[in-house]
Amino acid sequence: MSVVKFSIKICFIIALASSAYGYGATTNDLPQLLQLSQNRLNKTTINGMPSNDSRSLQLSSSTWLTGLPSISLSYLGDLDNSNIYEQEVSLNLPIKSFSLHRSDNKLKQLTNALLDQQVALQKLYLSGLLRQSMWEYRIASVKLEQLQRKASLLEQLYAQQKQLSDAGELPAVNILLLERERVDIDLIQIDLMQQQDESLALFQSLTGLSDIPIRIEENNHNIVDLDAQSINGADMVLMQHPLWQLQSLQQQLQDVIMASQQAGDQDPWTVSLTAKETAGDQFNDQHLGLGVNIPLGFGSALSQSELSVWQKDYQDHRINSESLYLELKKQSQKLTLQQHNLQKQHALLQRGVTLDRTITEDLAKVKDQNQIGYEIWLRRYMDALDTESHLALNQVAQQQLHSQQLQALGISL
């Protein structure tokens, strides 16, 4: 269960954002970025040992033997000096029963499926980190672009007001108000540039590339609206999640092992090939024999303590499965609700931009009459620019939620 618990924490490292704005110098396909990150991760070393240790691939089990063959040797001599002795050599082969052979085949299939799901979980984890780095960089870039637009307008306004102030037509405080606005912009820019640097550093450590791709939108997937799906439909979507699949396979593995133990399949059929010689002064008998020891499959081979442990593990697994499903569903529904809210905000922001422009134009007609009028106009002008920035970021956030939903549903790049 440790793999699942560790993976649950990993799974919810979810990336954000996407928009029509493009930044970067490369145009790598996102699946290629994921493959590149996988290759780099598999080549890393931890404590001097490869993370993809190949020794596990060298392990194998016998097809028809449950253990190693053994040889039994025995010698018996007389105690009355009659020169009679008996010696015996036996080769013992622990043969798998047919039911154990079928059980082992199931275990091999489940083990291979578990390995596949662990690879899928690794891909999902790396996809989350890649999405995080790319979308956070995109968000910071969009915000910087909007701030730069605001700063450029402030520079133009500052030049105009400076001429009027130098000519004595406007008070010097107007210039100070503009400088104060520029200080706030510079402070925000520092934080955004740090976010850009951190996101780029994460991307570079994952892929080894120097630039984030220009096109990072994931428009090739359809997001399932869980609110619009039946209960069975929602279950089918979430049960394809690598975490759910991994946990389900682990339980199937335990069930097969327990069923095999209960049926007594673990007890081998023992085939013995025996050579025996009995000799004395007057005779010498030699025999060859074949013996088979087959356990009888009556009742259960499990003790009550073993059965109790299995029942406890089964209940723990059931609770963990239910918790995982509810967590995945809650996360998906939360993101769907956020998507709906962003769509509502988009319409309101568009309306707000229109109103801000109208108000700013009206206030501009009286802004030069007095200082209070100028301050009101300047504040409304800055608010109008902020509203336009919020509208641009809302468009980014809607793409962000698309990527975030893909991650929550367990869909890799």
Side-chain angles (χ1 to χ4, degrees), residues 94-146:
I95 304 295
K96 290 183 179 179
S97 65
F98 294 108
S99 56
L100 180 57
H101 186 68
R102 290 192 296 268
S103 175
D104 283 354
N105 287 336
K106 292 180 182 178
L107 290 176
K108 288 179 182 179
Q109 294 174 2
L110 289 173
T111 301
N112 290 334
L114 275 170
L115 294 176
D116 292 339
Q117 286 304 316
Q118 288 172 347
V119 172
L121 201 58
Q122 182 197 62
K123 291 175 63 177
L124 183 62
Y125 171 53
L126 290 175
S127 295
L129 292 178
L130 285 170
R131 284 167 171 151
Q132 176 185 349
S133 63
M134 293 187 294
W135 295 128
E136 287 185 354
Y137 186 91
R138 173 67 61 85
I139 290 174
S141 299
V142 172
K143 288 181 178 180
L144 282 172
E145 181 176 330
Q146 296 299 316

Side-chain angles (χ1 to χ4, degrees), residues 354-366:
T354 301
L355 292 174
D356 281 341
R357 289 174 179 172
T358 302
I359 294 172
T360 302
E361 291 174 358
D362 291 341
L363 291 176
K365 299 175 183 178
V366 296

Side-chain angles (χ1 to χ4, degrees), residues 212-268:
I212 292 178
I214 297 175
R215 298 186 59 83
I216 60 175
E217 296 84 358
E218 298 177 73
N219 297 324
N220 57 328
H221 295 290
N222 294 322
I223 290 298
V224 178
D225 187 348
L226 295 181
D227 291 340
Q229 297 291 321
S230 65
I231 296 178
N232 292 334
D235 288 344
M236 290 300 295
V237 172
L238 292 177
M239 287 180 182
Q240 299 304 313
H241 197 288
L243 275 177
W244 180 273
Q245 290 290 323
L246 184 64
Q247 198 172 54
S248 176
L249 288 169
Q250 286 179 329
Q251 183 58 45
Q252 293 178 48
L253 193 69
Q254 293 177 1
D255 291 344
V256 171
I257 294 174
M258 183 57 60
S260 178
Q261 291 177 346
Q262 185 179 27
D265 295 339
Q266 302 300 321
D267 297 329

